[in-house]
């Protein structure tokens, strides 16, 4: 914990924080000085996101009630312009005491270095808490959905100057989603139109759980073909998926 205190003191210029409780440090230093006060910020500051990224595990262990609140503040920043994803409620589930740090009323802002650090280093801890797990998964699914298989973002402006991080972000999101979400939750995302080829290895490993009629209905992979070519393409796609995990 002393390393975190030293880090906060170095970034904020505050002194003697070791004499204060973690709750006091969060409420009086971390949030107002590192996240940024409501009304004077465009978005949650990278100072806060980087703190959460570098000390994600320590923060989780320090206070099991306060940790998910801090992670949710970070996730709401990602939802405010950095990652396109399915809707999630905000400022809830933050307690009303912390609504000033919700990004609901902030300006949308593209990906920053702090966002990338948070995604790469703090996402897994977000998946450990009931408050933040669903929100984190939606962000990770959205991150993959808006990325081509070769790591190029469809909405490339979201990454700004960090285009070279697209592939690493995709791989991190894919690994965490497949580790922490059950097939029943992953499957609807992986079978959205234009998505299944990115995740062919996962689908191959779970092929016994796939209802193929439902698969083709969801993916719309053959809907533009005539009846004969549709039959051929269905057969081809099934074979690609069935044998993908054997390569």
């Amino acid at each position: 914990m002393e390393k975190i205190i030293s880090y906060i003191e170095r970034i904020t210029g505050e002194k003697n924080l070791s004499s204060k409780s973690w709750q006091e440090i969060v409420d009086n230093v971390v949030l107002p000085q590192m996240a940024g006060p409501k009304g004077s910020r465009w978005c949650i500051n990278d100072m806060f996101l980087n703190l959460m990224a570098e000390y994600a595990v320590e923060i989780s262990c320090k206070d099991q009630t306060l940790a998910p609140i801090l992670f949710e503040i970070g996730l709401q920043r990602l939802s405010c312009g950095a990652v396109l994803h399915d809707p999630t409620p905000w400022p809830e589930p933050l307690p009303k005491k912390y609504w000033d740090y919700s990004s609901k009323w902030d300006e949308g802002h593209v990906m920053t270095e702090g966002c990338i650090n948070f995604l790469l280093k703090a996402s897994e801890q977000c998946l450990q808490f009931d408050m933040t797990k669903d929100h984190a998964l939606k962000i990770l699914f959205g991150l993959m959905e808006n990325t081509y298989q070769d790591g190029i973002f469809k909405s490339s402006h979201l990454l700004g100057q960090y285009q070279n991080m697209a592939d690493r972000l995709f791989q991190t999101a894919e690994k965490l989603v497949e580790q922490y979400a059950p097939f029943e939750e992953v499957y609807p995302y992986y079978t959205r139109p234009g998505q299944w080829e990115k995740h062919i290895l996962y689908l191959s490993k779970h092929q016994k759980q796939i209802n193929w009629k439902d698969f083709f209905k969801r993916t719309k992979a053959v809907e533009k073909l005539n009846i004969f070519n549709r039959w051929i393409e269905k057969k081809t796609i099934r074979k690609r998926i069935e044998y993908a995990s054997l390569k």
Side-chain angles (χ1 to χ4, degrees):
M1 190 61 190
E2 288 304 318
K3 288 185 178 180
I4 303 178
I5 299 302
S6 297
Y7 179 92
I8 295 170
E9 288 181 337
R10 177 166 56 85
I11 297 298
T12 64
E14 293 286 339
K15 304 295 183 182
N16 302 315
L17 292 183
S18 58
S19 63
K20 301 181 183 298
S21 70
W22 179 236
Q23 181 79 56
E24 288 177 310
I25 294 171
V26 167
D27 289 347
N28 300 320
V29 180
V30 170
L31 291 176
Q33 295 190 41
M34 300 183 78
K38 181 182 179 182
S40 64
R41 64 173 190 259
W42 284 358
C43 60
I44 295 297
N45 199 286
D46 271 9
M47 287 191 292
F48 174 80
L49 296 175
N50 287 329
L51 172 70
M52 300 304 296
E54 296 304 321
Y55 296 99
V57 174
E58 291 89 337
I59 289 169
S60 293
C61 295
K62 181 61 180 174
D63 189 316
Q64 295 281 301
T65 299
L66 193 54
I69 293 172
L70 295 174
F71 286 127
E72 177 62 21
I73 290 170
L75 291 172
Q76 291 194 19
R77 159 62 186 104
L78 295 176
S79 295
C80 193
V83 182
L84 300 176
H85 61 81
D86 287 356
T88 187
W90 60 352
E92 300 85 357
L94 289 176
K96 199 163 185 178
K97 174 182 177 181
Y98 295 101
W99 279 14
D100 280 356
Y101 300 99
S102 169
S103 292
K104 180 174 183 178
W105 301 283
D106 290 352
E107 293 186 27
H109 201 292
V110 296
M111 194 85 74
T112 63
E113 183 179 356
C115 293
I116 290 172
N117 288 338
F118 187 94
L119 283 164
L120 294 176
K121 298 179 180 180
S123 291
E124 186 164 11
Q125 289 304 309
C126 294
L127 296 169
Q128 309 297 321
F129 297 96
D130 290 340
M131 178 191 290
T132 52
K133 183 176 182 179
D134 182 67
H135 192 169
L137 285 174
K138 285 181 177 178
I139 286 175
L140 295 173
F141 280 124
L143 192 63
M144 290 187 288
E145 188 169 350
N146 289 284
T147 312
Y148 283 124
Q149 192 170 4
D150 60 1
I152 303 300
F153 265 61
K154 290 187 293 185
S155 300
S156 59
H157 70 281
L158 296 174
L159 268 186
Q161 62 182 307
Y162 304 106
Q163 301 297 320
N164 62 329
M165 297 299 297
D167 190 55
R168 187 178 173 192
L169 288 168
F170 180 91
Q171 291 177 18
T172 298
E174 185 177 49
K175 176 183 176 181
L176 292 175
V177 160
E178 293 176 8
Q179 180 178 349
Y180 286 95
F183 174 81
E184 294 74 19
E185 193 168 351
V186 175
Y187 175 77
Y189 282 94
Y190 280 13
T191 53
R192 289 182 175 182
Q195 299 300 310
W196 72 268
E197 288 183 282
K198 300 178 186 178
H199 309 291
I200 190 170
L201 184 60
Y202 178 89
L203 293 170
S204 180
K205 291 177 179 179
H206 293 83
Q207 59 185 275
K208 291 182 179 179
Q209 295 170 267
I210 296 175
N211 177 310
W212 290 105
K213 182 177 180 180
D214 176 75
F215 173 87
F216 288 110
K217 181 179 179 181
R218 288 176 179 272
T219 61
K220 303 185 187 300
V222 300
E223 69 172 6
K224 294 183 179 180
L225 302 176
N226 61 42
I227 294 177
F228 179 71
N229 288 334
R230 192 178 301 172
W231 179 81
I232 294 176
E233 185 64 11
K234 282 183 177 180
K235 190 173 181 180
T236 300
I237 290 173
R238 283 193 62 166
K239 283 186 176 180
R240 284 183 62 192
I241 292 175
E242 288 169 357
Y243 290 107
S245 60
L246 299 178
K247 295 180 180 180

